[in-house]
């Protein structure tokens, strides 16, 4: 039986008068990779940003419905957004490292949370880099500027930095779209290995990538969730014509 | 603007349809050659098998190219996957037409020693199954495909009856063994033709309905149970 990690219930989101998400309901499973696909402007990025309340930063945003994580509606008034975001790491399309060393980038979050013990910090750095499949490549460069790493390494460092705060959920918004095929393959392998310990939600424009990495796929179109099913089914026998037309490249 | 991918798919379909009509004609000529005891027509069937083989290679190449360059999914994936197996079945039907043509000389040695009514009936049925299987592919017609699948049992039954009777005839007189074996082979070739037609029909059903029915068609055709085996990434 699959455990539900995130339960989205009749969730709608408006930017001013414009409705960007229309009554979305779906269950996202623990220790699974869920891919969100759909043409530009379909709402998939808005949706992923709703899961860690990133959209709160935009003044005109208004929501209806609930997103329940571990039994609690994250939009309830008593929810502490900072604590919520500790549970939910996020990786973006372009790596957004701090202009610091590799080491400092990884420990930045945990230091803010109060951890100062050098030995523990060292452990966190090694574990996070190992889990992000980067340790071997950068172990001799921990104290060099993070921005001197290659694009693929920088992106894996972003993932390592996310893992350092030990989140339960990792959101990825096009994590490999700016990378070459070899770096992309490494990130994809990494995403696979992450699901042992984390629940991963990934937005991707690359349909083959969604097919390769995810267990479940959700197809969004103009703010609506058109179809959500096992990835193997979505790419072999989708139930809805619109999904079939999209995954076969007939529109979008 | 027509997409490059659609042009490739159209090319594949056109080649398959051409191969279908060639193979269908090969079977028609082979059966006619047996019926008329016509060795010239049989020879023509044998010669033209090269052409069937060439189509086989061409179709595989188009499929390979589409897989490599387009990574098809969903209905496109089903079409390309099935085109490969339909192609293999058509090529095997072509080979069986050659086998049938090759038996013309042997059958001519002792005409009339066996009542060929059942063989004639098998020929008509197998031929019709091939024709319908091909039509179901061209027309994307799953109902016609189902009709083909249902006919396979009738051909199997006729083949079994031929075996029983021919065995008895061969037991009666050792001179009957050679022509008896030739007829057994013809019966087996006709039965195999029907099997390949059935395979094609199952593929057509898969292309159109996204449902695999091979190996368990009775369960599907005669019960409500869908019997769908969903593979999972889990």
């Amino acid at each position: 039986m699959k455990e539900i990690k995130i339960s989205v219930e009749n969730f709608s989101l408006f930017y001013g008068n414009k409705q960007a998400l229309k009554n979305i309901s779906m269950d996202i499973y623990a220790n699974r990779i869920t891919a969100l696909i759909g043409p530009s402007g379909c709402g998939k990025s808005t949706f992923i940003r709703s899961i860690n309340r990133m959209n709160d930063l935009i003044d005109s945003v208004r929501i209806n419905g609930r997103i329940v994580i571990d039994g609690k509606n994250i939009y309830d008034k008593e929810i502490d957004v900072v604590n919520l975001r500790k549970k939910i790491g996020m990786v973006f399309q372009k790596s957004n490292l701090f202009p610091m060393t590799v080491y400092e980038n990884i420990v930045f979050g945990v230091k803010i949370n109060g951890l100062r013990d050098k030995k523990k910090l060292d452990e966190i750095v090694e574990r996070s880099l190992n889990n992000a499949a980067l340790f071997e490549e950068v172990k001799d460069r921990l104290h060099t500027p993070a921005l001197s790493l290659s694009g693929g390494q920088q992106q894996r460092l972003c993932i390592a930095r996310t893992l350092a705060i030990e989140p339960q959920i990792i959101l990825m918004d096009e994590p490999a779209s700016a990378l070459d095929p070899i770096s992309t393959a490494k990130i994809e392998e990494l995403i696979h290995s992450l699901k042992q310990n984390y629940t991963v939600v990934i937005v991707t424009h690359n349909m083959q990538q969604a097919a390769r990495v995810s267990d479940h796929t959700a197809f969004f179109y103009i703010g609506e969730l058109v179809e959500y099913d096992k990835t193997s089914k979505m790419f072999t026998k989708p139930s809805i014509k619109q999904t079939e037309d999209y995954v076969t490249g007939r529109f979008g | 603007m027509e997409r490059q991918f659609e042009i490739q798919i159209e090319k594949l379909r056109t080649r398959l349809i051409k191969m279908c009509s060639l193979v269908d004609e090969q079977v028609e000529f082979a059966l006619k050659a047996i019926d008329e005891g016509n060795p010239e027509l049989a020879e023509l069937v044998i010669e033209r098998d090269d052409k069937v083989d060439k189509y086989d290679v061409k179709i595989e190449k188009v499929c390979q190219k589409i897989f490599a360059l387009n990574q098809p999914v969903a209905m496109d994936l089903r079409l390309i996957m099935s085109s490969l197996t339909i192609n293999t079945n058509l090529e095997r039907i072509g080979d069986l037409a050659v086998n049938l043509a090759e038996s013309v000389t042997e059958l001519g040695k002792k005409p009339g020693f066996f009542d060929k009514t059942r063989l004639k009936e098998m020929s008509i049925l197998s031929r019709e199954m091939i024709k319908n299987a091909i039509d179901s592919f061209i027309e994307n017609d799953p109902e016609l495909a189902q009709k083909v699948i249902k006919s396979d049992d009738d051909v199997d039954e006729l083949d079994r009856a031929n075996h029983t009777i021919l065995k008895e005839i061969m037991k009666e007189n050792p001179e009957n063994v050679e022509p008896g074996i030739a007829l057994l082979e013809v019966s087996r070739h006709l039965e195999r033709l029907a099997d390949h037609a059935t395979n094609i029909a199952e593929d057509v059903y898969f292309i159109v309905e996204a449902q695999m029915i091979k190996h368990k068609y009775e369960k599907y055709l005669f019960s409500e149970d869908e019997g769908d085996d969903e593979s999972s990434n889990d």
Side-chain angles (χ1 to χ4, degrees), chain B residues 9-177:
Chain B
I9 295 263
E10 208 37 58
K11 194 171 165 184
L12 173 65
R13 270 186 71 86
T14 310
R15 283 194 178 166
L16 260 178
I17 290 169
K18 278 185 182 168
M19 179 152 176
C20 285
S21 54
L22 176 64
V23 164
D24 184 37
E25 202 176 60
Q26 287 284 84
V27 174
E28 185 194 343
F29 285 181
L31 294 175
K32 202 171 169 202
I34 290 177
D35 203 33
E36 295 172 353
N38 182 344
E40 288 84 19
L41 193 56
E43 197 49 46
L44 179 71
V45 171
I46 296 164
E47 275 170 23
R48 293 205 317 180
D49 191 46
D50 254 4
K51 222 171 156 183
V52 176
D53 292 346
K54 275 183 188 145
Y55 268 113
D56 173 37
V57 174
K58 272 186 189 173
I59 289 165
E60 269 205 33
K61 277 187 178 167
V62 181
C63 291
Q64 194 183 24
K65 194 172 165 189
I66 295 174
F67 272 129
L69 303 183
N70 301 90
Q71 295 98 40
V73 296
M75 58 185 171
D76 297 331
L77 176 66
R78 295 198 297 277
L79 176 66
I80 318 297
M81 270 172 68
S82 303
S83 296
L84 276 173
T85 47
I86 288 173
N87 182 42
T88 305
N89 279 298
L90 287 171
E91 195 271 334
R92 292 292 299 130
I93 291 174
D95 288 347
L96 288 167
V98 170
N99 295 148
L100 286 167
E102 282 168 347
S103 66
V104 169
T105 322
E106 193 57 45
L107 292 176
K109 285 182 186 164
K110 205 173 177 185
F113 111 102
F114 171 67
D115 175 14
K116 297 194 182 69
T117 320
R118 220 171 284 102
L119 276 180
K120 185 86 187 159
E121 204 181 326
M122 274 180 90
S123 308
I124 293 167
L125 253 176
S126 304
R127 175 88 211 290
E128 192 183 76
M129 282 172 72
I130 293 171
K131 243 178 125 336
N132 285 341
I134 290 171
D135 285 347
S136 73
F137 172 68
I138 295 170
E139 306 290 336
N140 279 326
D141 183 345
E143 278 168 27
L144 189 56
Q146 276 176 303
K147 194 180 157 196
V148 173
I149 295 164
K150 282 177 181 166
S151 304
D152 193 36
D153 285 346
D154 298 338
V155 180
D156 288 347
E157 208 170 293
L158 288 166
D159 181 45
R160 276 195 294 274
N162 279 337
H163 273 244
T164 312
I165 295 165
L166 281 164
K167 252 195 295 191
E168 289 309 313
I169 294 174
M170 286 191 279
K171 275 183 199 163
E172 282 167 14
N173 183 353
E175 279 186 19
N176 289 342
V177 171

Side-chain angles (χ1 to χ4, degrees), chain A residues 174-200:
Chain A
E174 302 239 23
S177 63
L179 302 178
D180 65 85
I182 292 172
S183 302
T184 300
K186 281 185 184 166
I187 296 278
E188 287 179 4
E189 279 305 310
L190 173 58
I191 294 170
H192 262 298
S193 68
L194 289 176
K195 78 169 180 176
Q196 287 176 12
N197 300 310
Y198 308 94
T199 300
V200 181

